Structure formats: C-alpha cells, structure tokens
C-alpha cells in the first residue's frame, strides 16, 4: 500500500489545490516518494527526515502532532495531528525550518535546520 503523501506550503502557494502541488513536486526530479528519505531520527522508530529537494518528513502510525515553521519569520507551514504520512514541502529553496514533533501530547523531537558549515549542492536544469 502506498504511503499517504501530503504536500504542505507557505502562504504564497497555499491557494493552489493539493493535487496541483503534488504534481508539481512529483515533476521536480520525481523525488517526492520515490527516493528514500536519508535521515533516521535517533530514538524515534519510523521517523525519517531530510532536506533533499525541500523538507521531507516521514511519520509512522501513532498519535503524532507536527509543527513546521520558518525559523526566521515564524510563519507556520504545517501544524496538524497526523499518522502514517509523508510530509513534503512545496518550497524547494532554503528555509531555516523549525520542526517540533509530539507523540501522545508530549514533545519528543525538535530541530532547526541550518546550512551553516554544510556542503550545499545547487542543481541547474534547463527545460524545453
């Protein structure tokens, strides 16, 4: 059975229908759900997180709450109860993501993405 994929976005893209966001993300390197998420979150079985082609967060079955925001502006991109889902950001450019995960109402993980001191790769694609 294919995992439910939910594309989330900031206010500039939020008026687009979910299906349009999904198609847009699938067309971008075909990496929404085809490529494995590389980062396992230590101590949280089944939770995986990476920042390849935007933010990708895999949440296993359970009573999870996910809050994702821009760490600089505080703009909330996603704030919902979820279970057994793959969350993918429509935004593919650098955002200093802040992520807070709660399980059964208790915070269990928080992370702020920073590219400082990291090797960053930019891809250039010509179309047409």
């Amino acid at each position: 059975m294919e995992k439910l994929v939910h594309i989330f976005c900031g206010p500039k893209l939020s008026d687009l229908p979910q299906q349009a966001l999904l198609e847009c993300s699938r067309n971008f390197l075909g990496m929404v759900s085809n490529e494995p998420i590389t980062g396992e979150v230590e101590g949280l079985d089944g939770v995986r997180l990476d920042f390849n082609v935007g933010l990708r967060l895999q949440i296993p079955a359970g009573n999870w709450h996910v809050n994702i925001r821009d760490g600089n502006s505080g703009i909330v991109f996603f704030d919902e109860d979820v279970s057994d889902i793959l969350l993918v950001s429509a935004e593919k450019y650098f955002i200093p993501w802040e992520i807070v995960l709660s399980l059964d109402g208790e915070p269990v993980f928080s992370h702020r993405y920073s590219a400082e001191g990291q090797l960053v790769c930019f891809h250039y694609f010509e179309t047409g």
Side-chain angles (χ1 to χ4, degrees):
M1 187 165 126
E2 189 172 315
K3 182 173 284 298
L4 177 64
V5 176
H6 180 86
I7 309 298
F8 66 91
C9 61
K12 291 182 181 178
L13 296 178
S14 62
D15 291 337
L16 291 174
Q18 184 69 203
Q19 187 60 37
L21 290 173
L22 182 60
E23 283 303 311
C24 182
S25 291
R26 278 200 173 129
N27 290 335
F28 189 86
L29 299 179
M31 293 182 72
V32 169
S33 59
N34 297 335
E35 293 293 321
I37 297 176
T38 57
E40 294 182 40
V41 175
E42 189 174 327
L44 296 177
D45 288 339
V47 176
R48 300 177 70 82
L49 169 68
D50 71 22
F51 301 95
N52 298 327
V53 192
L55 185 154
R56 300 186 306 158
L57 176 62
Q58 181 176 313
I59 300 291
N63 186 24
W64 294 92
H65 185 88
V66 176
N67 178 278
I68 301 171
R69 68 180 64 229
D70 179 319
N72 287 343
S73 70
I75 293 172
V76 175
F77 283 67
F78 188 85
D79 188 35
E80 294 183 25
D81 294 329
V82 296
S83 177
D84 196 26
I85 194 167
L86 173 60
L87 300 172
V88 179
S89 66
E91 287 82 1
K92 305 303 180 196
Y93 48 86
F94 175 79
I95 293 177
W97 299 108
E98 278 188 0
I99 303 157
V100 177
L101 303 180
S102 298
L103 180 59
D104 297 324
E106 297 294 321
V108 293
F109 176 77
S110 65
H111 179 76
R112 181 172 178 157
Y113 175 74
S114 173
E116 186 174 338
Q118 302 293 317
L119 179 62
V120 177
C121 179
F122 291 90
H123 292 275
Y124 171 77
F125 299 95
E126 280 192 43
T127 60

